[in-house]
Amino acid sequence: MACIFKVTLPILDTKNMDIKTIQINRRSAQITQGKSRAPNRSMYYGMGYEESDFVKPMVGVANGHSTITPCNSGLQKLADAAIQGIEEAGGNAQVFGTPTISDGMAMGTEGMKYSLVSREVIADCIETCVQGQWMDGVLVVGGCDKNMPGGMMGILRANVPAVYVYGGTILPGRHKGQDLNIVSVFEAVGQNAAGNMSDAELKEIEQKAIPGSGSCGGMYTANTMSSAFEALGMSLPFSSTMANPHDETKNSAKAAAKVLIEAIKKDLKPRDIVTRKSIENAVSVIMATGGSTNAVLHFLAIAHAADVPWSIDDFEMIRKKVPVICDLKPSGQYLAVDLHQAGGIPQVMKTLLKAGLLHGDCMTITGKTIAENLADIPDQPESTQTVIRSIDKALYAQGHLAILKGNLSPEGCVAKITGLKNPVMTGPARVFDDEQSALKAILDGHIKAGDIMVLRYLGPKGGPGMPEMLAPTGALIGAGLGESVGLITDGRFSGGTWGMVVGHVAPEAAAGGNIAFIHEGDSITIDAHQLLLQLNVSEEVLAQRKVGWTPPAARYLRGVQAKFAFNASSASKGAVLDLFENRNF
C-alpha cells in the first residue's frame, strides 16, 4: 500500500508534549494511513513487537559496519552497545545499514572516484530511512572518512533528535621502533621508487602499518571530522579520539544512546545544535588540531544541509584568529591516540574557550552547553605532555587551512600551509589530465625540484567524484620533493597529505575554470602569504586559449557517477547535489 504521508500527516507541535504523547501521536499518524492500521501493526508484530512497544520511541541505528575496511570492521560492537542502551532507556532500536568506501584502499584507482559519491549515498540512506519510517530519533555509527560528513548531512536533513557515534581511531603499527600509519605506506612507496628503501622493507611496512580495526590514526579526515563533531555538540565529550579496540568505545556508544533518548524527550533536534556559532566552534577545533583539507569541503556541505549561512571565506576568517596548538600528523609528530591520552578534544576546546576562541553558550546533544560540558576540564593542558600546547606556545600563530584565490581559482581553493619552511613558490607547470600519468612521472624521476604539477579534470564533475591525490603526494614526500615541488589540483587531498599542495581549485577544469587552460611550462605562483594562486600569463593569452573550448565528454553516462557529475555543485559550495539555483520544478 503506497501513500505520500509527508503531505497527509498532521504537523505536530511536540514542544509541549511529553514523550508518551509524542509517540502516540506519531505512531498513530504513521500507522493509520490507508484503509486500516492493522496491516501496518502486523509488520511490527512480525518483528516481535508487543502492544506496549507502540508508545516507546522508535530510534534508528544507522550502522556503518562492514568488512570492507578496518575503519568499519569494528563497528558492530558499538552498534550492539547502542542498541542495548536504547532498549535500557525505554526505546525501540530500528537498525539499518549504510555503505562505505575505503579511501585508503581505493586510493590511486578508479574506485577512488566513488569516495565522495559515497558521502551523498550515506546521507541519502539516513534521510530516506529516518523519514520513510517516521523514526523519532537516530543514532549514526560510522568510521571511515565519508561516513562522518555523510552521516551528519543525513542527520541534519531528517532533523529528528540524533547523536553521532564515532567508531574510533586505529592503534599505531610499529617498525624499527617507530609508529606507523597508512600514510607511512604511501611515503614508503616513494622512498622505494627513489632507491632509498628496499623492496623487502617496503613490504614489511605494508604488513605492519595497520595492526587492527579503527580509522586512520593521524589527524586525517576521519579523526578531523570526529573531533569537529564533538566540538559541534553532536557527539559525546572525549568520544572522538578513542581507539576502536578499547572498551571505552562501547561504553561511550551505550551512553550516547541513553543521551539520545533524553534528547527525544526534550525534542532537542540537530538544527537546534548545529548553528553558525557551533560551526565556528567546529572549524576552530579543526584549525587548532591541524585537521584535514577535506573538512573545508565537508563543512560547506554540512552547513548547507543545516541551512546555515556559511561560505568558503568563513574558513579564512577562523584561520586568522585560531592558532595551531596540537602537534599531530601528518605535518606533526603525534597520532590521535596520543591526543586522547593528553586530554582529548575537551582539553583542546577548554584551551580555546579560555582564550575567547570558542562560543561556550552553544547547546550540545548532552542537553548542556559547551561551557557546562567543559567545566571540570583544566584551563591549560598538562605541562608533562607535548601533544597539546598552550595558546602562548602554539606551533603556529594562525590556522593551517588557507583559502587562496587568484586567476586560477577565483572561487577559492584550499592549501595546508603549516609544516612548510617557505609556503611561496613560482615555477614551471607540469600538466597532467589524470592522476596515473602524474604518479608515473614522479616514480620515473621526471619531476624535479621547482616544478609545479597541475592535476586537472579531477573535480566534482570532471573526475567525476573529486578523487584524492594521496598516491602522488605520498610519492613526492617519499622522493624527498615534498617541499620543493608544488602540486595543484581541482581534485582533493587525503587528510594524510602535507607539502606544497593546493586542492579544490574552483571553478574546476571540466566547468571551464582557468586550470583547464594551463600549458606545459607556464609560470605559476603559489603564495600562501598573499593567499594567491596565479597563472602568470596575460588575460589576452587566456582569452585566446579559451576560444573553441568545449568540455570533455562525460566519463560516465549511467549510474551513480553520472548522477553525481550532472548534479554536483562547485567544490567552493561543498560539491553538494541539491544546490538548485532554480527551485521552480
Side-chain angles (χ1 to χ4, degrees):
M1 184 185 300
C3 63
I4 307 175
F5 66 72
K6 274 297 180 186
V7 174
T8 57
L9 282 175
I11 302 299
L12 300 180
D13 178 11
T14 59
K15 283 292 186 183
N16 299 312
M17 295 183 187
D18 60 27
I19 184 64
K20 185 173 181 180
T21 304
I22 292 171
Q23 298 313 319
I24 290 173
N25 285 347
R26 284 184 173 165
R27 268 308 67 69
S28 297
Q30 179 188 11
I31 64 181
T32 56
Q33 300 304 306
K35 295 181 179 178
S36 170
R37 58 187 279 165
N40 289 344
R41 283 212 175 195
S42 294
M43 303 292 278
Y44 287 99
Y45 289 138
M47 294 186 290
Y49 281 65
E50 299 178 355
E51 190 70 22
S52 59
D53 286 317
F54 294 108
V55 294
K56 295 178 181 179
M58 299 291 189
V59 183
V61 177
N63 183 9
H65 172 80
S66 75
T67 56
I68 289 174
T69 170
C71 306
N72 289 45
S73 64
L75 297 187
Q76 188 58 50
K77 63 185 180 182
L78 305 190
D80 292 340
I83 292 165
Q84 185 179 359
I86 289 167
E87 293 174 349
E88 287 180 3
N92 292 318
Q94 297 187 307
V95 185
F96 60 93
T98 62
T100 197
I101 295 295
S102 170
D103 292 28
M105 291 175 169
M107 202 72 68
T109 73
E110 192 71 7
M112 185 65 223
K113 295 177 180 179
Y114 286 85
S115 170
L116 187 59
V117 173
S118 75
R119 182 189 75 177
E120 304 302 315
V121 175
I122 293 164
D124 288 351
C125 283
I126 293 169
E127 178 189 5
T128 299
C129 286
V130 172
Q131 299 290 64
Q133 294 301 125
W134 203 245
M135 293 174 184
D136 300 298
V138 62
L139 181 148
V140 180
V141 185
C144 203
D145 291 7
K146 305 311 173 294
N147 296 182
M148 315 299 290
M152 190 57 64
M153 290 160 66
I155 281 171
L156 288 163
R157 290 183 199 167
N159 200 35
V160 298
V163 66
Y164 200 100
V165 172
Y166 179 44
T169 188
I170 200 169
L171 294 171
R174 296 287 290 177
H175 177 67
K176 293 184 175 179
Q178 299 294 316
D179 284 346
L180 296 178
N181 61 86
I182 186 62
V183 177
S184 307
V185 181
F186 287 92
E187 294 181 359
V189 170
Q191 289 178 283
N192 176 259
N196 298 323
M197 179 180 289
S198 68
D199 291 348
E201 186 168 11
L202 171 60
K203 185 174 182 180
E204 212 173 340
I205 289 173
E206 182 183 51
Q207 292 174 338
K208 292 178 178 179
I210 308 297
S213 59
S215 298
C216 297
M219 193 47 68
Y220 309 145
T221 302
N223 286 328
T224 296
M225 296 306 295
S226 69
S227 299
F229 288 177
E230 186 175 326
L232 194 65
M234 289 299 297
S235 298
L236 296 194
F238 294 101
S239 65
S240 64
T241 52
M242 294 175 179
N244 178 265
H246 294 165
D247 285 343
E248 63 179 344
T249 55
K250 292 188 293 184
N251 298 336
S252 181
K254 186 174 181 179
K258 294 186 176 183
V259 164
L260 176 56
I261 296 297
E262 291 303 310
I264 293 171
K265 292 178 182 178
K266 298 172 184 175
D267 201 27
L268 178 60
K269 296 188 179 78
R271 293 195 194 181
D272 300 326
I273 296 170
V274 180
T275 63
R276 181 173 173 90
K277 288 170 68 175
S278 70
I279 290 176
E280 288 185 7
N281 283 348
V283 174
S284 294
V285 166
I286 291 165
M287 294 294 179
T289 56
S292 168
T293 54
N294 283 311
V296 175
L297 189 79
H298 296 328
F299 264 93
L300 287 165
I302 287 167
H304 174 70
D307 201 22
V308 171
W310 186 264
S311 77
I312 194 168
D313 295 320
D314 289 318
F315 292 94
E316 188 61 30
M317 176 266 293
I318 299 293
R319 185 191 71 83
K320 288 178 179 178
K321 66 181 183 180
V322 178
V324 179
I325 60 171
C326 295
D327 190 5
L328 298 168
K329 289 182 181 295
S331 54
Q333 299 183 63
Y334 297 105
L335 297 169
V337 289
D338 303 310
L339 175 60
H340 192 61
Q341 293 173 356
I345 294 303
Q347 184 61 75
V348 176
M349 292 176 68
K350 187 61 173 286
T351 305
L352 296 177
L353 181 66
K354 292 300 292 184
L357 297 173
L358 223 58
H359 301 291
D361 58 342
C362 288
M363 181 53 62
T364 74
I365 188 60
T366 66
K368 298 179 180 180
T369 66
I370 290 289
E372 289 170 337
N373 281 344
L374 299 176
D376 295 331
I377 305 298
D379 290 349
Q380 296 295 328
E382 174 59 51
S383 61
T384 57
Q385 57 79 44
T386 55
V387 183
I388 308 171
R389 306 274 189 99
S390 58
I391 297 291
D392 62 334
K393 295 180 181 178
L395 276 80
Y396 305 97
Q398 293 183 323
H400 64 302
L401 298 180
I403 306 302
L404 277 54
K405 293 190 176 182
N407 67 355
L408 270 182
S409 191
E411 292 180 14
C413 57
V414 185
K416 186 184 286 187
I417 62 175
T418 52
L420 298 174
K421 294 174 184 175
N422 182 22
V424 178
M425 176 184 292
T426 295
R430 302 296 309 280
V431 182
F432 303 90
D433 288 348
D434 62 81
E435 178 187 2
Q436 287 69 33
S437 59
L439 178 61
K440 186 176 187 302
I442 298 167
L443 296 179
D444 290 348
H446 298 320
I447 301 300
K448 306 299 182 184
D451 288 344
I452 295 183
M453 299 182 72
V454 178
L455 280 64
R456 64 190 180 189
Y457 293 105
L458 295 165
K461 293 182 179 295
M466 209 178 175
E468 293 180 352
M469 301 292 108
L470 181 56
T473 57
L476 285 173
I477 298 295
L481 298 170
E483 299 223 35
S484 59
V485 169
L487 191 155
I488 70 172
T489 180
D490 49 9
R492 297 183 295 127
F493 293 115
S494 163
T497 295
W498 70 276
M500 195 65 177
V501 297
V502 181
H504 309 200
V505 170
E508 63 176 292
N514 285 340
I515 189 173
F517 306 106
I518 302 171
H519 285 187
E520 185 81 9
D522 281 349
S523 172
I524 293 175
T525 295
I526 304 170
D527 189 335
H529 294 316
Q530 296 188 59
L531 303 178
L532 179 69
L533 181 64
Q534 189 77 12
L535 175 62
N536 300 314
V537 303
S538 69
E539 289 300 315
E540 291 76 17
V541 169
L542 264 179
Q544 291 170 6
R545 292 179 181 180
K546 293 178 181 180
V547 174
W549 179 86
T550 57
R555 298 178 191 267
Y556 290 85
L557 299 178
R558 294 288 185 274
V560 68
Q561 285 284 12
K563 288 189 287 186
F564 188 93
F566 183 81
N567 288 294
S569 72
S570 167
S572 66
K573 302 290 186 182
V576 297
L577 304 189
D578 59 348
L579 183 64
F580 304 113
E581 299 299 333
N582 179 9
R583 292 182 177 270
N584 296 319
F585 53 81

